[in-house]
Amino acid sequence: YQRRVHGEVVSMPLYMGDESKRELRLVVWQHQRALFAFYVVPEQAERLEFYQELEQFIREEIKNTVQHVSENIARTQAVDETYQYVYFNHMNLALKSSLRKKGTLVGSPANSVSALEISDLMSYIETIHHDFEISPELKEVVMKTKRNEQWVAGRHSANREFYALFDAKATLADVNEEMKRINQTFFNGIFVD
């Protein structure tokens, strides 16, 4: 196992699970906020020039990709802070949610009377999901909660579902416009109208 820090070689031995049991080295390289992992043959892993060439190649080839990924991360973090939502993709079972731990409040500050319990919110989401299942032609459902009159909106398209919680001050038209904006901004229009 080799380990040198500050721009020098960092690699570790790794054995492939195939019949040859050949030894490779796992090399991890960081550029800005992105990590890259490479398998290399031990002979290459011993040469410092190899890492210099690899770094030069990566810096040239990956600039745009890292920039794009960084922008997507920043955009995703913005939605995490702005909206309370649940997103589920049935095809790859991806789940993303900004809801907090069980029993805490969502949609407004924890001490607010208008805050909605997660269990209540999940009940509304379950109802909307059921509507999507029994009526596949439905693309969007919006409900107003009974207790504090917040809005819960759900959108369904191509095995994907997105649910968002909106403030009681919003109108139905506001919720509709905001759902369209979220779709275009964060989902690149995958939820087709």
Side-chain angles (χ1 to χ4, degrees):
Y1 171 64
Q2 285 182 300
R3 183 174 171 136
R4 297 183 197 137
V5 188
H6 303 295
E8 295 186 30
V9 176
V10 177
S11 69
M12 60 184 3
L14 169 68
Y15 296 93
M16 293 304 290
D18 61 5
E19 293 161 10
S20 68
K21 301 283 185 203
R22 62 188 166 138
E23 179 182 343
L24 296 174
R25 297 291 173 121
L26 174 64
V27 177
V28 179
W29 186 74
Q30 181 175 0
H31 178 73
Q32 296 177 359
R33 295 173 62 181
L35 286 175
F36 301 89
F38 303 94
Y39 295 116
V40 297
V41 293
E43 298 78 39
Q44 294 292 338
E46 302 298 324
R47 295 183 31 244
L48 184 58
E49 298 81 29
F50 169 75
Y51 296 100
Q52 292 168 340
E53 292 168 6
L54 180 63
E55 181 177 18
Q56 181 181 359
F57 173 76
I58 291 171
R59 284 191 191 275
E60 291 172 8
E61 295 296 321
I62 213 70
K63 283 180 186 176
N64 292 335
T65 302
V66 170
Q67 177 71 23
H68 182 69
V69 169
S70 294
E71 289 171 2
N72 283 339
I73 289 170
R75 190 170 62 190
T76 302
Q77 288 173 340
V79 76
D80 283 347
E81 296 168 6
T82 308
Y83 300 98
Q84 297 295 319
Y85 66 89
V86 175
Y87 168 78
F88 184 68
N89 183 331
H90 293 273
M91 292 185 297
N92 62 9
L93 302 179
L95 174 68
K96 181 142 174 81
S97 172
S98 66
L99 303 180
R100 292 171 187 60
K101 292 181 182 175
K102 185 177 180 180
T104 61
L105 303 168
V106 296
S108 48
N111 296 330
S112 172
V113 175
S114 67
L116 187 63
E117 295 271 347
I118 287 183
S119 60
D120 293 340
L121 174 60
M122 293 311 293
S123 175
Y124 287 106
I125 289 175
E126 189 176 313
T127 301
I128 295 172
H129 172 76
H130 180 71
D131 290 346
F132 290 146
E133 283 186 333
I134 62 172
S135 300
E137 70 280 356
L138 277 178
K139 299 299 177 202
E140 185 171 280
V141 174
V142 179
M143 300 175 77
K144 196 161 195 177
T145 63
K146 293 177 185 175
R147 189 179 309 166
N148 50 20
E149 297 190 350
Q150 288 179 287
W151 295 93
V152 180
R155 199 166 249 211
H156 175 265
S157 179
N159 293 317
R160 295 177 175 105
E161 295 179 37
F162 175 75
Y163 302 92
L165 177 66
F166 294 95
D167 191 31
K169 297 174 190 170
T171 66
L172 182 58
D174 295 336
V175 171
N176 187 41
E177 286 303 311
E178 196 61 20
M179 286 294 281
K180 285 180 183 176
R181 190 185 72 73
I182 292 169
N183 180 34
Q184 287 303 319
T185 304
F186 301 108
F187 295 105
N188 296 322
I190 63 170
F191 292 101
V192 190
D193 290 333

